[in-house]
Structures are given as C-alpha cells and as structure tokens.
Amino acid sequence: MHAYIKGSAWLSPSGFKTLTNRDQAASSPFITEESIQNIHLPKLPRVPDVAKACCAVVSQVLLEAGLTVPFAVRSEESERTALVVGNNDSSVRPIEALQSEAEIYGPNRVSPAIFPNTVYNALAGYIAIHVNIKGTNTTLSGATSTVPAALLYGLRLLAKGRHDRVVVCHVHLLPSAKKATRQDEEEGSFPPDEERITALLLERPGVGTHGKYALDWELTKANGLYTALSPDVTPRMDVELIKLIQEERLAEQEVMLGRFQNGDLLKLRFNNGDVDGLKEAHSR
Amino acid sequence: MERIVITGMGVVTSIGGNTHEFWHNLLAGTQGTREITSFDVSEHTVKRGCEVNRVFPYSEAMYEGVGKATAMYLSAAEDALYQARLTQREQARVGICVGTTMGEPGSVRKDSDRQGPHVIADLVADLLRLSGPRWTMTNACAAGNFAIAQAMDELRSGNADCMIAGGVDALSWTAFTGFGSLRAMSDDWCRPFDVNRKGLMLGEGAGVLILERERDARARGAIPLAYLLGYGLTCDAYHITQPDPAAVGAMRAMLEALRMAELTLEDIGYVSAHGTGTPANDRTEAKALADLFGEHMLTSSIKGHIGHTLGAASAIEAVASVNMLRYGWLPHTLNLEQLDPECRVRVIARQPLRKKTNYILSNAYAFGGINSSIVLGKAGS
C-alpha cells in the first residue's frame, strides 16, 4: 500500500509557506484576501476568500506535479482524481454571517450567497469546480484526528484502484475571528496556532512518472491502553510532512504517527521515492 | 470480496420514532409536515417542516444533556443494535460512521470545547462504549450514503467487525433560513416530481444500519435483513448548489455502484430517488434514470412524507429500501398528482405498489455537486 507524493503546498495568513519564509511570524492568524493577493487566480466571482485560498492551494499542488489545471472536460484525469477535504470549522463564520444578516434585514431577506458556505463540504465543491475534479469528493471532520483521517481516506481510495490520484486537503480555520480578536486584546498576542490550508497530491505508483517522494502506510489497532502506552504522535502531520519535503530530508526513511479518536494509530513511512525500499521496510 | 450484510436498523422521523411505525406510516401515506416549534419562525415566509416531536430513549439518563441530533442518532442506533442482537460485550468491537450536514446545531459555539460535527459520533461512541473506528462524513445531503460507504470499507478492510452507519440532522434555524434564502422551500407540502411542485420541505431525523461481514453475522447467529452490495461516489464539478443538468456525474455514481455490486442495469427493480421536490433536482435525477435504465424504471421519493432530512435522508431511505426488499412493497410519492412531463420515468404515485424485487439502488445528491448511489440486495439473493 504505497503512494507517491507528487505535490505539496501550505498556505498561511502571509501566503504560501516555503523553506525560506516559513518561520516568519504572520501579522494576523487569519487567512484573508491579503493572504492570496500575490497568487495568480482566475476571477472567482461570489466565491468566499477561504474557498479561493483552497482553490489556490490545490491548483499549486497539481501544477507542481506537472498537471494541467483545470483538468480537461470529461478527461480520465478529471474522473480518476479524487478530493478529500478535512475540515472542522469552516461553517462557523458563515453561520455567524447568516445570523447577522437576518438580524439586520430579517430572515426572509438574507443573501442567498451565504447559506451554501455554511455547509461543511462547500469548500470541496468550490475546489472541484475550479480544477475540474470529478472523482470521489469527500469532506470529513474528526477534530484532532482530522488530518490522519483525511490521509487514511485518501490512501485507501488509491489502494482500491478506482482513482489514480487523490488530493488530500486540510483546512484549519480558527472558529471565530471575533473571539480571537478579543483574546488578542486580553493577552496581547494571537492564538498559538494560525490558520492554514495544506494540500498533498498522492498518486498510485505506475500511473505517471516515478515520484520523488514515496510513502507507505499501515493502521495499528488500539490495544485498549493507548492513552498510557502509545508512542508520541505527530500533531500536525500535514505540516510536518510538507516541511520534510521542503527540506528534502526524505533521503532517509522517516516515520510519522497519527492517532484517531479511538486510539488507533496511522503509521506513515516516507522516503525518497523508493517504493521497493518501503515494501521491504513494511515486510520487516 | 466479503459480502456485507445489514443485521439491524433504526430510524427516527416525523412519521415514526422506530422502524415499524415509520414503515407503517410510509405505506399509509402519513405526512410529517406541521408548523415548526423548534425555533421562532414568526418572521419567516415558510413556517412548516417535518419536525420530530419526541425522541424515545431506552435510558433517560443516557440522553441527559445531549443535543437533539445526537439524541436522534443514539435512539436509532439503540434500536438497530437491539434488532441486530449485539450484546454489550460485542459492542466493544463496533465502529461508527455518522453522516451529517449541520452536525449538532447547538454545538457551534465559540465557547464550546466540544464543537464541530464530530461531536455526534464521539458522544454516541462514548455512550455505547464503542472502541472501533469513528468517522464523521460531512457531505451535506448525501452524507448518509457516504457514511454507509465508509462503514462498508472499514468492514472489508478488516478494521472493524461491525459498524453502526447512518445519518442524522436536526432542524436548525440556519438551514431553515438558508434554504429560505435560496427560495428552495415549499410553503405547504413537498411534491416530488409533480409539475406543480413548489420546492423542498425541510425535515429532521436519523437513520442507522448495523453492518457486518456476512460470515461474522452468521457465525454469531444474526439474521441478515439485506445485503449492502456496492456504492458509487462522484462529483459534478459544475455548480455549488445546482446539479449538472446533463446528469453525467449522477449516472457515473450509479454505474460505479452497480460495478462494485457486480450487477447489471437489468438487475435493478426500483430506484429510491433523492427526489427533493425542486425542479433542478427532480429533472436531473429523472434524466439520469431515463438515460441509464430507460423510461420504464420504477422510482419514488419519500420526501413528501418526511421532508428533506439532509444528512439523514439517504440513511433513512436505506432503511426504507431494506424493508422494500423484505416485504415487497414500494412506497408511493406523496402529493404527486401530475407528473412533470420533463421527468420521463415511472414515478409511483397515489398508493404503494406491490412488487418484489431483489435489488434496489438508492440515490442521494448534495451541494458541492456530490452524487452518491448505493446498491442493496434482498437477503438470500
């Protein structure tokens, strides 16, 4: 059960994070219109900023893989590419906006543009339209285990053979801009975590060219004592993986662990594209 | 490939708080539509919906402090577990998949530690002491089918011995106001496929299936109610709220489901339609069915009875479909008086149809261009 990683991208409040700028602190923890102002995007009328940012991130990983964006109409690439979005909080601000409009104009005069964005999978819908992904399109929410859940879901899609590529996108938004602003005023600092949108393009070996990076995965069942005995997990697997790729540190084998709410562990092994090496390690 | 069986079912709807009552009222043509009381609709143009008046718990204490969506899912899951005859000991090896559009509406609060759609799966898993995998699928109005599909995969991959899979949504001010803003709601009744339809009627409820590998179920003496044979999931990539009128994605989803089930188009005797009662949905789905199966294909929608229950819809329809396979009755589409001439399929109207079939396909569609189909087979087929 292997996959190549053909593209990766990490958007922060200050724009795309690269090897050179990723440790610089952002002036705000929120992804806004300014976060994507330097990114070339075709006009996306009536699309919320967060959705535009998601479209930019996914476009970036597809372009990095040498693919043409958007995928051609009714092409095999379009139908055999899947999209998995991990998303816990994207509905909160649109719900607040809906409530706010209803308070001002009354419940019968709310803008019809707001409601679709209160639905968790709206972001996945915008991305699919933007890059023309017509394969399985799944949004899932798993609190702290959303990142491993999305990765596992995507890797399984590849293993089942119905898809050649899967884009795994993680959207981490702070629940409410209002709350964070109040917190800033009280504490004089922004919350410790800033918003991020990350994406990884996973590809089934044999589909395209040899990948520069490869990964292998296995799921370990919890033994009932996981809280006390299980090993440390990687809290932000998506970010840590992108950092490894940016640093080209995958010459040696790296291992990451993600934990699910029931204690099960997702073990990911990465290396420099040597699938046979991963198979050997897996069999050991 | 290991066959997956359904060994238990539970529902909570506006026309029945358990599977027996729901099925009886479905065939009797009962409507769950009434004036909304869950929240203030005095200023809304539309004031009606299919509301669940009461959830019947096995244990009042267990339901203390839980939101309505969680309570409905829990009640349906308890019924389903009871029917599946799963003991407390066996439940420890069970996982859960919840499909939902809005999650637990009251939990979306800035000051809440437990916020987000996953709280339903977490609470139910904790209350039932489940240690298997937990998934929350947030694919809007197709979320129930996504949860069922994911549960099937967990069983086939050997990651769980048994899965509680279903969908749930409680009526929320947000969805009610939001669908109102889209001018998508009827102010009196939901009339799927009718030329004089006015739109959808929002509802609430939960539908839950207990899924197991056939060998495991038979080994512990469980009685399979039906087979879950396949699923197909695709995306239109066309419009954020409207289906692609060419219906290509909807057809692909049905074909994928049939391929996984190793069946042909001719094997399907009935299609449980998404059938929301909006012109765009009804016409696109009818086109997909007519183009794929031909105009003879039998279909109906139960949304005239229970409204559009969003993430619960496809799971409740799966429960209804299992009973259709078991008892040989196909429910009629309530309030359908004159078929929209653009819907070139045989929509069952006025009264249920007595027809035995071995295989049913059930569709659900959602915002974001989501298409989903599952295939269910009669036990012993």
mmCIF file with all atom_site columns, all heavy atoms in Angstrom, chain A residues 61-84:
data_model
loop_
_atom_site.group_PDB
_atom_site.id
_atom_site.type_symbol
_atom_site.label_atom_id
_atom_site.label_alt_id
_atom_site.label_comp_id
_atom_site.label_asym_id
_atom_site.label_entity_id
_atom_site.label_seq_id
_atom_site.pdbx_PDB_ins_code
_atom_site.Cartn_x
_atom_site.Cartn_y
_atom_site.Cartn_z
_atom_site.occupancy
_atom_site.B_iso_or_equiv
_atom_site.pdbx_formal_charge
_atom_site.auth_seq_id
_atom_site.auth_comp_id
_atom_site.auth_asym_id
_atom_site.auth_atom_id
_atom_site.pdbx_PDB_model_num
ATOM 1   N N   . VAL A 1 61 ? -0.574  22.394 -6.003  1.00 0.00 ? 61 VAL A N   1
ATOM 2   C CA  . VAL A 1 61 ? -0.031  21.029 -5.940  1.00 0.00 ? 61 VAL A CA  1
ATOM 3   C C   . VAL A 1 61 ? -0.192  20.294 -7.276  1.00 0.00 ? 61 VAL A C   1
ATOM 4   O O   . VAL A 1 61 ? 0.656   19.482 -7.645  1.00 0.00 ? 61 VAL A O   1
ATOM 5   C CB  . VAL A 1 61 ? -0.631  20.177 -4.798  1.00 0.00 ? 61 VAL A CB  1
ATOM 6   C CG1 . VAL A 1 61 ? -0.274  20.718 -3.445  1.00 0.00 ? 61 VAL A CG1 1
ATOM 7   C CG2 . VAL A 1 61 ? -2.109  19.993 -4.919  1.00 0.00 ? 61 VAL A CG2 1
ATOM 8   N N   . LEU A 1 62 ? -1.264  20.604 -7.982  1.00 0.00 ? 62 LEU A N   1
ATOM 9   C CA  . LEU A 1 62 ? -1.447  19.946 -9.281  1.00 0.00 ? 62 LEU A CA  1
ATOM 10  C C   . LEU A 1 62 ? -0.424  20.452 -10.295 1.00 0.00 ? 62 LEU A C   1
ATOM 11  O O   . LEU A 1 62 ? 0.133   19.677 -11.074 1.00 0.00 ? 62 LEU A O   1
ATOM 12  C CB  . LEU A 1 62 ? -2.875  20.161 -9.794  1.00 0.00 ? 62 LEU A CB  1
ATOM 13  C CG  . LEU A 1 62 ? -3.986  19.522 -8.952  1.00 0.00 ? 62 LEU A CG  1
ATOM 14  C CD1 . LEU A 1 62 ? -5.372  19.912 -9.470  1.00 0.00 ? 62 LEU A CD1 1
ATOM 15  C CD2 . LEU A 1 62 ? -3.867  17.999 -8.941  1.00 0.00 ? 62 LEU A CD2 1
ATOM 16  N N   . LEU A 1 63 ? -0.180  21.771 -10.256 1.00 0.00 ? 63 LEU A N   1
ATOM 17  C CA  . LEU A 1 63 ? 0.823   22.341 -11.160 1.00 0.00 ? 63 LEU A CA  1
ATOM 18  C C   . LEU A 1 63 ? 2.213   21.806 -10.830 1.00 0.00 ? 63 LEU A C   1
ATOM 19  O O   . LEU A 1 63 ? 3.012   21.500 -11.719 1.00 0.00 ? 63 LEU A O   1
ATOM 20  C CB  . LEU A 1 63 ? 0.803   23.873 -11.062 1.00 0.00 ? 63 LEU A CB  1
ATOM 21  C CG  . LEU A 1 63 ? -0.439  24.561 -11.648 1.00 0.00 ? 63 LEU A CG  1
ATOM 22  C CD1 . LEU A 1 63 ? -0.510  26.022 -11.223 1.00 0.00 ? 63 LEU A CD1 1
ATOM 23  C CD2 . LEU A 1 63 ? -0.466  24.434 -13.167 1.00 0.00 ? 63 LEU A CD2 1
ATOM 24  N N   . GLU A 1 64 ? 2.482   21.672 -9.539  1.00 0.00 ? 64 GLU A N   1
ATOM 25  C CA  . GLU A 1 64 ? 3.784   21.152 -9.098  1.00 0.00 ? 64 GLU A CA  1
ATOM 26  C C   . GLU A 1 64 ? 4.021   19.748 -9.644  1.00 0.00 ? 64 GLU A C   1
ATOM 27  O O   . GLU A 1 64 ? 5.164   19.349 -9.898  1.00 0.00 ? 64 GLU A O   1
ATOM 28  C CB  . GLU A 1 64 ? 3.808   21.137 -7.566  1.00 0.00 ? 64 GLU A CB  1
ATOM 29  C CG  . GLU A 1 64 ? 5.200   21.046 -6.966  1.00 0.00 ? 64 GLU A CG  1
ATOM 30  C CD  . GLU A 1 64 ? 5.136   21.159 -5.437  1.00 0.00 ? 64 GLU A CD  1
ATOM 31  O OE1 . GLU A 1 64 ? 4.636   22.187 -4.931  1.00 0.00 ? 64 GLU A OE1 1
ATOM 32  O OE2 . GLU A 1 64 ? 5.579   20.215 -4.767  1.00 0.00 ? 64 GLU A OE2 1
ATOM 33  N N   . ALA A 1 65 ? 2.925   19.012 -9.811  1.00 0.00 ? 65 ALA A N   1
ATOM 34  C CA  . ALA A 1 65 ? 3.040   17.649 -10.336 1.00 0.00 ? 65 ALA A CA  1
ATOM 35  C C   . ALA A 1 65 ? 3.111   17.626 -11.861 1.00 0.00 ? 65 ALA A C   1
ATOM 36  O O   . ALA A 1 65 ? 3.131   16.555 -12.469 1.00 0.00 ? 65 ALA A O   1
ATOM 37  C CB  . ALA A 1 65 ? 1.856   16.822 -9.862  1.00 0.00 ? 65 ALA A CB  1
ATOM 38  N N   . GLY A 1 66 ? 3.105   18.797 -12.466 1.00 0.00 ? 66 GLY A N   1
ATOM 39  C CA  . GLY A 1 66 ? 3.195   18.857 -13.925 1.00 0.00 ? 66 GLY A CA  1
ATOM 40  C C   . GLY A 1 66 ? 1.876   18.635 -14.633 1.00 0.00 ? 66 GLY A C   1
ATOM 41  O O   . GLY A 1 66 ? 1.840   18.336 -15.829 1.00 0.00 ? 66 GLY A O   1
ATOM 42  N N   . LEU A 1 67 ? 0.777   18.755 -13.902 1.00 0.00 ? 67 LEU A N   1
ATOM 43  C CA  . LEU A 1 67 ? -0.536  18.548 -14.499 1.00 0.00 ? 67 LEU A CA  1
ATOM 44  C C   . LEU A 1 67 ? -1.106  19.865 -14.998 1.00 0.00 ? 67 LEU A C   1
ATOM 45  O O   . LEU A 1 67 ? -0.747  20.937 -14.512 1.00 0.00 ? 67 LEU A O   1
ATOM 46  C CB  . LEU A 1 67 ? -1.493  17.923 -13.477 1.00 0.00 ? 67 LEU A CB  1
ATOM 47  C CG  . LEU A 1 67 ? -1.053  16.546 -12.971 1.00 0.00 ? 67 LEU A CG  1
ATOM 48  C CD1 . LEU A 1 67 ? -1.802  16.157 -11.717 1.00 0.00 ? 67 LEU A CD1 1
ATOM 49  C CD2 . LEU A 1 67 ? -1.262  15.499 -14.062 1.00 0.00 ? 67 LEU A CD2 1
ATOM 50  N N   . THR A 1 68 ? -1.993  19.777 -15.957 1.00 0.00 ? 68 THR A N   1
ATOM 51  C CA  . THR A 1 68 ? -2.635  20.970 -16.500 1.00 0.00 ? 68 THR A CA  1
ATOM 52  C C   . THR A 1 68 ? -3.897  21.264 -15.685 1.00 0.00 ? 68 THR A C   1
ATOM 53  O O   . THR A 1 68 ? -4.726  20.381 -15.469 1.00 0.00 ? 68 THR A O   1
ATOM 54  C CB  . THR A 1 68 ? -3.022  20.747 -17.972 1.00 0.00 ? 68 THR A CB  1
ATOM 55  O OG1 . THR A 1 68 ? -1.847  20.344 -18.673 1.00 0.00 ? 68 THR A OG1 1
ATOM 56  C CG2 . THR A 1 68 ? -3.596  22.013 -18.592 1.00 0.00 ? 68 THR A CG2 1
ATOM 57  N N   . VAL A 1 69 ? -3.999  22.509 -15.240 1.00 0.00 ? 69 VAL A N   1
ATOM 58  C CA  . VAL A 1 69 ? -5.138  22.915 -14.407 1.00 0.00 ? 69 VAL A CA  1
ATOM 59  C C   . VAL A 1 69 ? -5.944  23.978 -15.151 1.00 0.00 ? 69 VAL A C   1
ATOM 60  O O   . VAL A 1 69 ? -5.355  24.941 -15.649 1.00 0.00 ? 69 VAL A O   1
ATOM 61  C CB  . VAL A 1 69 ? -4.633  23.481 -13.064 1.00 0.00 ? 69 VAL A CB  1
ATOM 62  C CG1 . VAL A 1 69 ? -5.801  23.941 -12.203 1.00 0.00 ? 69 VAL A CG1 1
ATOM 63  C CG2 . VAL A 1 69 ? -3.802  22.433 -12.334 1.00 0.00 ? 69 VAL A CG2 1
ATOM 64  N N   . PRO A 1 70 ? -7.273  23.859 -15.227 1.00 0.00 ? 70 PRO A N   1
ATOM 65  C CA  . PRO A 1 70 ? -8.086  22.722 -14.752 1.00 0.00 ? 70 PRO A CA  1
ATOM 66  C C   . PRO A 1 70 ? -7.949  21.518 -15.662 1.00 0.00 ? 70 PRO A C   1
ATOM 67  O O   . PRO A 1 70 ? -7.527  21.630 -16.814 1.00 0.00 ? 70 PRO A O   1
ATOM 68  C CB  . PRO A 1 70 ? -9.511  23.300 -14.803 1.00 0.00 ? 70 PRO A CB  1
ATOM 69  C CG  . PRO A 1 70 ? -9.474  24.320 -15.887 1.00 0.00 ? 70 PRO A CG  1
ATOM 70  C CD  . PRO A 1 70 ? -8.107  24.917 -15.834 1.00 0.00 ? 70 PRO A CD  1
ATOM 71  N N   . PHE A 1 71 ? -8.356  20.367 -15.112 1.00 0.00 ? 71 PHE A N   1
ATOM 72  C CA  . PHE A 1 71 ? -8.343  19.144 -15.921 1.00 0.00 ? 71 PHE A CA  1
ATOM 73  C C   . PHE A 1 71 ? -9.302  19.302 -17.094 1.00 0.00 ? 71 PHE A C   1
ATOM 74  O O   . PHE A 1 71 ? -10.336 19.974 -16.984 1.00 0.00 ? 71 PHE A O   1
ATOM 75  C CB  . PHE A 1 71 ? -8.795  17.943 -15.086 1.00 0.00 ? 71 PHE A CB  1
ATOM 76  C CG  . PHE A 1 71 ? -7.815  17.528 -14.021 1.00 0.00 ? 71 PHE A CG  1
ATOM 77  C CD1 . PHE A 1 71 ? -8.257  17.195 -12.748 1.00 0.00 ? 71 PHE A CD1 1
ATOM 78  C CD2 . PHE A 1 71 ? -6.461  17.448 -14.282 1.00 0.00 ? 71 PHE A CD2 1
ATOM 79  C CE1 . PHE A 1 71 ? -7.374  16.794 -11.769 1.00 0.00 ? 71 PHE A CE1 1
ATOM 80  C CE2 . PHE A 1 71 ? -5.556  17.044 -13.306 1.00 0.00 ? 71 PHE A CE2 1
ATOM 81  C CZ  . PHE A 1 71 ? -6.014  16.724 -12.046 1.00 0.00 ? 71 PHE A CZ  1
ATOM 82  N N   . ALA A 1 72 ? -8.957  18.680 -18.195 1.00 0.00 ? 72 ALA A N   1
ATOM 83  C CA  . ALA A 1 72 ? -9.809  18.778 -19.392 1.00 0.00 ? 72 ALA A CA  1
ATOM 84  C C   . ALA A 1 72 ? -11.186 18.172 -19.127 1.00 0.00 ? 72 ALA A C   1
ATOM 85  O O   . ALA A 1 72 ? -11.323 17.222 -18.351 1.00 0.00 ? 72 ALA A O   1
ATOM 86  C CB  . ALA A 1 72 ? -9.135  18.043 -20.553 1.00 0.00 ? 72 ALA A CB  1
ATOM 87  N N   . VAL A 1 73 ? -12.189 18.742 -19.776 1.00 0.00 ? 73 VAL A N   1
ATOM 88  C CA  . VAL A 1 73 ? -13.569 18.263 -19.624 1.00 0.00 ? 73 VAL A CA  1
ATOM 89  C C   . VAL A 1 73 ? -13.658 16.795 -20.045 1.00 0.00 ? 73 VAL A C   1
ATOM 90  O O   . VAL A 1 73 ? -13.100 16.399 -21.064 1.00 0.00 ? 73 VAL A O   1
ATOM 91  C CB  . VAL A 1 73 ? -14.516 19.134 -20.488 1.00 0.00 ? 73 VAL A CB  1
ATOM 92  C CG1 . VAL A 1 73 ? -15.949 18.600 -20.442 1.00 0.00 ? 73 VAL A CG1 1
ATOM 93  C CG2 . VAL A 1 73 ? -14.468 20.578 -20.003 1.00 0.00 ? 73 VAL A CG2 1
ATOM 94  N N   . ARG A 1 74 ? -14.359 16.015 -19.230 1.00 0.00 ? 74 ARG A N   1
ATOM 95  C CA  . ARG A 1 74 ? -14.572 14.574 -19.463 1.00 0.00 ? 74 ARG A CA  1
ATOM 96  C C   . ARG A 1 74 ? -13.279 13.803 -19.694 1.00 0.00 ? 74 ARG A C   1
ATOM 97  O O   . ARG A 1 74 ? -13.251 12.792 -20.417 1.00 0.00 ? 74 ARG A O   1
ATOM 98  C CB  . ARG A 1 74 ? -15.521 14.341 -20.639 1.00 0.00 ? 74 ARG A CB  1
ATOM 99  C CG  . ARG A 1 74 ? -16.897 14.897 -20.373 1.00 0.00 ? 74 ARG A CG  1
ATOM 100 C CD  . ARG A 1 74 ? -17.965 14.145 -21.091 1.00 0.00 ? 74 ARG A CD  1
ATOM 101 N NE  . ARG A 1 74 ? -19.269 14.682 -20.752 1.00 0.00 ? 74 ARG A NE  1
ATOM 102 C CZ  . ARG A 1 74 ? -20.407 14.256 -21.224 1.00 0.00 ? 74 ARG A CZ  1
ATOM 103 N NH1 . ARG A 1 74 ? -20.422 13.280 -22.087 1.00 0.00 ? 74 ARG A NH1 1
ATOM 104 N NH2 . ARG A 1 74 ? -21.538 14.796 -20.861 1.00 0.00 ? 74 ARG A NH2 1
ATOM 105 N N   . SER A 1 75 ? -12.209 14.267 -19.082 1.00 0.00 ? 75 SER A N   1
ATOM 106 C CA  . SER A 1 75 ? -10.945 13.548 -19.239 1.00 0.00 ? 75 SER A CA  1
ATOM 107 C C   . SER A 1 75 ? -10.829 12.474 -18.168 1.00 0.00 ? 75 SER A C   1
ATOM 108 O O   . SER A 1 75 ? -11.490 12.531 -17.129 1.00 0.00 ? 75 SER A O   1
ATOM 109 C CB  . SER A 1 75 ? -9.768  14.522 -19.106 1.00 0.00 ? 75 SER A CB  1
ATOM 110 O OG  . SER A 1 75 ? -9.758  15.087 -17.808 1.00 0.00 ? 75 SER A OG  1
ATOM 111 N N   . GLU A 1 76 ? -9.979  11.503 -18.435 1.00 0.00 ? 76 GLU A N   1
ATOM 112 C CA  . GLU A 1 76 ? -9.725  10.452 -17.444 1.00 0.00 ? 76 GLU A CA  1
ATOM 113 C C   . GLU A 1 76 ? -9.101  11.059 -16.193 1.00 0.00 ? 76 GLU A C   1
ATOM 114 O O   . GLU A 1 76 ? -9.403  10.652 -15.078 1.00 0.00 ? 76 GLU A O   1
ATOM 115 C CB  . GLU A 1 76 ? -8.804  9.401  -18.061 1.00 0.00 ? 76 GLU A CB  1
ATOM 116 C CG  . GLU A 1 76 ? -8.866  8.078  -17.334 1.00 0.00 ? 76 GLU A CG  1
ATOM 117 C CD  . GLU A 1 76 ? -8.190  6.979  -18.100 1.00 0.00 ? 76 GLU A CD  1
ATOM 118 O OE1 . GLU A 1 76 ? -6.947  6.933  -18.051 1.00 0.00 ? 76 GLU A OE1 1
ATOM 119 O OE2 . GLU A 1 76 ? -8.889  6.167  -18.721 1.00 0.00 ? 76 GLU A OE2 1
ATOM 120 N N   . GLU A 1 77 ? -8.231  12.056 -16.400 1.00 0.00 ? 77 GLU A N   1
ATOM 121 C CA  . GLU A 1 77 ? -7.596  12.711 -15.249 1.00 0.00 ? 77 GLU A CA  1
ATOM 122 C C   . GLU A 1 77 ? -8.643  13.308 -14.323 1.00 0.00 ? 77 GLU A C   1
ATOM 123 O O   . GLU A 1 77 ? -8.537  13.230 -13.105 1.00 0.00 ? 77 GLU A O   1
ATOM 124 C CB  . GLU A 1 77 ? -6.663  13.833 -15.734 1.00 0.00 ? 77 GLU A CB  1
ATOM 125 C CG  . GLU A 1 77 ? -5.281  13.351 -16.102 1.00 0.00 ? 77 GLU A CG  1
ATOM 126 C CD  . GLU A 1 77 ? -4.405  14.490 -16.596 1.00 0.00 ? 77 GLU A CD  1
ATOM 127 O OE1 . GLU A 1 77 ? -4.951  15.542 -16.960 1.00 0.00 ? 77 GLU A OE1 1
ATOM 128 O OE2 . GLU A 1 77 ? -3.181  14.317 -16.619 1.00 0.00 ? 77 GLU A OE2 1
ATOM 129 N N   . SER A 1 78 ? -9.639  13.933 -14.900 1.00 0.00 ? 78 SER A N   1
ATOM 130 C CA  . SER A 1 78 ? -10.695 14.564 -14.109 1.00 0.00 ? 78 SER A CA  1
ATOM 131 C C   . SER A 1 78 ? -11.495 13.524 -13.333 1.00 0.00 ? 78 SER A C   1
ATOM 132 O O   . SER A 1 78 ? -11.766 13.702 -12.140 1.00 0.00 ? 78 SER A O   1
ATOM 133 C CB  . SER A 1 78 ? -11.613 15.347 -15.050 1.00 0.00 ? 78 SER A CB  1
ATOM 134 O OG  . SER A 1 78 ? -12.760 15.769 -14.391 1.00 0.00 ? 78 SER A OG  1
ATOM 135 N N   . GLU A 1 79 ? -11.869 12.436 -14.002 1.00 0.00 ? 79 GLU A N   1
ATOM 136 C CA  . GLU A 1 79 ? -12.745 11.453 -13.362 1.00 0.00 ? 79 GLU A CA  1
ATOM 137 C C   . GLU A 1 79 ? -12.003 10.501 -12.445 1.00 0.00 ? 79 GLU A C   1
ATOM 138 O O   . GLU A 1 79 ? -12.614 9.909  -11.553 1.00 0.00 ? 79 GLU A O   1
ATOM 139 C CB  . GLU A 1 79 ? -13.505 10.666 -14.441 1.00 0.00 ? 79 GLU A CB  1
ATOM 140 C CG  . GLU A 1 79 ? -14.451 11.569 -15.233 1.00 0.00 ? 79 GLU A CG  1
ATOM 141 C CD  . GLU A 1 79 ? -15.319 10.828 -16.222 1.00 0.00 ? 79 GLU A CD  1
ATOM 142 O OE1 . GLU A 1 79 ? -15.138 9.602  -16.375 1.00 0.00 ? 79 GLU A OE1 1
ATOM 143 O OE2 . GLU A 1 79 ? -16.169 11.477 -16.854 1.00 0.00 ? 79 GLU A OE2 1
ATOM 144 N N   . ARG A 1 80 ? -10.692 10.351 -12.646 1.00 0.00 ? 80 ARG A N   1
ATOM 145 C CA  . ARG A 1 80 ? -9.938  9.414  -11.807 1.00 0.00 ? 80 ARG A CA  1
ATOM 146 C C   . ARG A 1 80 ? -9.089  10.122 -10.752 1.00 0.00 ? 80 ARG A C   1
ATOM 147 O O   . ARG A 1 80 ? -8.176  9.541  -10.188 1.00 0.00 ? 80 ARG A O   1
ATOM 148 C CB  . ARG A 1 80 ? -9.081  8.493  -12.683 1.00 0.00 ? 80 ARG A CB  1
ATOM 149 C CG  . ARG A 1 80 ? -9.943  7.498  -13.487 1.00 0.00 ? 80 ARG A CG  1
ATOM 150 C CD  . ARG A 1 80 ? -9.102  6.491  -14.228 1.00 0.00 ? 80 ARG A CD  1
ATOM 151 N NE  . ARG A 1 80 ? -8.308  5.648  -13.359 1.00 0.00 ? 80 ARG A NE  1
ATOM 152 C CZ  . ARG A 1 80 ? -8.749  4.551  -12.748 1.00 0.00 ? 80 ARG A CZ  1
ATOM 153 N NH1 . ARG A 1 80 ? -10.008 4.185  -12.887 1.00 0.00 ? 80 ARG A NH1 1
ATOM 154 N NH2 . ARG A 1 80 ? -7.954  3.830  -11.990 1.00 0.00 ? 80 ARG A NH2 1
ATOM 155 N N   . THR A 1 81 ? -9.408  11.382 -10.528 1.00 0.00 ? 81 THR A N   1
ATOM 156 C CA  . THR A 1 81 ? -8.778  12.107 -9.427  1.00 0.00 ? 81 THR A CA  1
ATOM 157 C C   . THR A 1 81 ? -9.835  12.356 -8.352  1.00 0.00 ? 81 THR A C   1
ATOM 158 O O   . THR A 1 81 ? -10.953 12.760 -8.661  1.00 0.00 ? 81 THR A O   1
ATOM 159 C CB  . THR A 1 81 ? -8.203  13.459 -9.903  1.00 0.00 ? 81 THR A CB  1
ATOM 160 O OG1 . THR A 1 81 ? -7.216  13.195 -10.910 1.00 0.00 ? 81 THR A OG1 1
ATOM 161 C CG2 . THR A 1 81 ? -7.554  14.224 -8.750  1.00 0.00 ? 81 THR A CG2 1
ATOM 162 N N   . ALA A 1 82 ? -9.464  12.093 -7.118  1.00 0.00 ? 82 ALA A N   1
ATOM 163 C CA  . ALA A 1 82 ? -10.387 12.287 -6.001  1.00 0.00 ? 82 ALA A CA  1
ATOM 164 C C   . ALA A 1 82 ? -9.916  13.455 -5.144  1.00 0.00 ? 82 ALA A C   1
ATOM 165 O O   . ALA A 1 82 ? -8.756  13.872 -5.205  1.00 0.00 ? 82 ALA A O   1
ATOM 166 C CB  . ALA A 1 82 ? -10.455 11.031 -5.150  1.00 0.00 ? 82 ALA A CB  1
ATOM 167 N N   . LEU A 1 83 ? -10.840 13.968 -4.362  1.00 0.00 ? 83 LEU A N   1
ATOM 168 C CA  . LEU A 1 83 ? -10.528 15.079 -3.458  1.00 0.00 ? 83 LEU A CA  1
ATOM 169 C C   . LEU A 1 83 ? -11.054 14.736 -2.073  1.00 0.00 ? 83 LEU A C   1
ATOM 170 O O   . LEU A 1 83 ? -12.218 14.366 -1.912  1.00 0.00 ? 83 LEU A O   1
ATOM 171 C CB  . LEU A 1 83 ? -11.196 16.355 -3.973  1.00 0.00 ? 83 LEU A CB  1
ATOM 172 C CG  . LEU A 1 83 ? -11.092 17.592 -3.086  1.00 0.00 ? 83 LEU A CG  1
ATOM 173 C CD1 . LEU A 1 83 ? -9.650  18.060 -2.943  1.00 0.00 ? 83 LEU A CD1 1
ATOM 174 C CD2 . LEU A 1 83 ? -11.948 18.728 -3.656  1.00 0.00 ? 83 LEU A CD2 1
ATOM 175 N N   . VAL A 1 84 ? -10.169 14.831 -1.091  1.00 0.00 ? 84 VAL A N   1
ATOM 176 C CA  . VAL A 1 84 ? -10.564 14.621 0.300   1.00 0.00 ? 84 VAL A CA  1
ATOM 177 C C   . VAL A 1 84 ? -10.235 15.890 1.070   1.00 0.00 ? 84 VAL A C   1
ATOM 178 O O   . VAL A 1 84 ? -9.083  16.341 1.057   1.00 0.00 ? 84 VAL A O   1
ATOM 179 C CB  . VAL A 1 84 ? -9.804  13.433 0.933   1.00 0.00 ? 84 VAL A CB  1
ATOM 180 C CG1 . VAL A 1 84 ? -10.325 13.159 2.342   1.00 0.00 ? 84 VAL A CG1 1
ATOM 181 C CG2 . VAL A 1 84 ? -9.922  12.193 0.069   1.00 0.00 ? 84 VAL A CG2 1
#
